[in-house]
Amino acid sequence: MNICVFLSAADLDERYTRPAKEFAELLGKGGHTLVWGGSDVGLMKVVADGVQESGGRLLGVSVDFLAAKARQAADEMVIAKDLAERKRLLLEKADAVVIMVGGTGTLDEATEILELKKHGHTDKPVVLLNTAGFYDGLKEQFRRMEDEGFLPRPLTELVFFAEEPVGALAYLEESQGIE
């Protein structure tokens, strides 16, 4: 399975890097391909290292202005002309999406895939990995949107909230019929 991971390129504390590395190792050992923003820095590097060291493949989609930070040792690297094309290519190449901790770019990517799902433009499974409670506030906001009628589909049809890496991958594999 090609699993797109939206996440930060920042250098982060171990409470975020440890679960990210754990997920990456599960992904690699499962024989899956990481589809990610292609950067070889911060949390993006931690995940790419974990996948590659565990036998998985790396498919990066970087963007022109970040190409200098792209991982040289990726199995495949595509350079998009802008962020919009990058998002489109990331989603196009993925069978499923995992949202890890990140900033505004990660949030932008997360809301775009959920908007596409909301309108029925994709049925790819989406997991929000709520490492160290990072997305507790967002989860609460999504529930409020659902409760107050802002979502035309149940929240459970849009996104699965996982607290641990093993639960995130198990959900994706089950949704794709992988045992």
Side-chain angles (χ1 to χ4, degrees):
M1 179 172 23
N2 285 357
I3 301 174
C4 176
V5 178
F6 293 134
L7 73 166
S8 178
D11 290 316
L12 300 171
D13 185 88
E14 186 182 333
R15 68 185 162 152
Y16 298 124
T17 57
R18 182 200 49 75
K21 185 168 177 54
E22 182 184 329
F23 180 79
E25 289 170 353
L26 291 168
L27 193 154
K29 287 176 184 168
H32 303 296
T33 297
L34 171 68
V35 179
W36 95 117
S39 290
D40 205 21
V41 295
L43 197 61
M44 284 194 185
K45 179 180 181 357
V46 169
V47 171
D49 287 348
V51 169
Q52 208 162 41
E53 290 165 8
S54 301
R57 288 187 72 250
L58 299 179
L59 194 169
V61 182
S62 190
V63 66
D64 260 348
F65 67 89
L66 293 174
K69 294 181 180 181
R71 187 179 185 101
Q72 298 303 308
D75 296 291
E76 182 181 344
M77 183 64 66
V78 177
I79 307 296
K81 68 180 182 319
D82 57 32
L83 291 171
E85 182 184 36
R86 180 194 210 184
K87 275 192 298 189
R88 183 183 60 74
L89 289 169
L90 283 165
L91 294 175
E92 196 177 276
K93 294 176 180 297
D95 301 312
V97 174
V98 173
I99 302 154
M100 289 189 180
V101 297
T104 54
T106 303
L107 192 56
D108 173 58
E109 292 160 339
T111 55
E112 178 148 339
I113 184 69
L114 295 178
E115 190 68 7
L116 290 168
K117 279 193 80 166
K118 182 181 92 173
H119 292 290
H121 292 287
T122 185
D123 61 354
K124 294 176 185 183
V126 177
V127 173
L128 196 145
L129 185 52
N130 191 24
T131 301
F134 185 80
Y135 285 119
D136 285 349
L138 186 60
K139 188 175 179 182
E140 184 179 325
Q141 184 62 47
F142 283 149
R143 287 194 176 132
R144 182 174 181 183
M145 288 174 184
E146 180 180 43
D147 292 345
E148 296 187 19
F150 289 93
L151 302 178
R153 297 175 63 183
L155 185 58
T156 54
E157 289 181 15
L158 298 177
V159 63
F160 176 79
F161 293 94
E163 300 301 317
E164 296 294 328
V166 68
L169 189 60
Y171 174 82
L172 293 180
E173 288 180 339
E174 183 179 303
S175 73
Q176 298 293 303
I178 299 169
E179 294 183 17

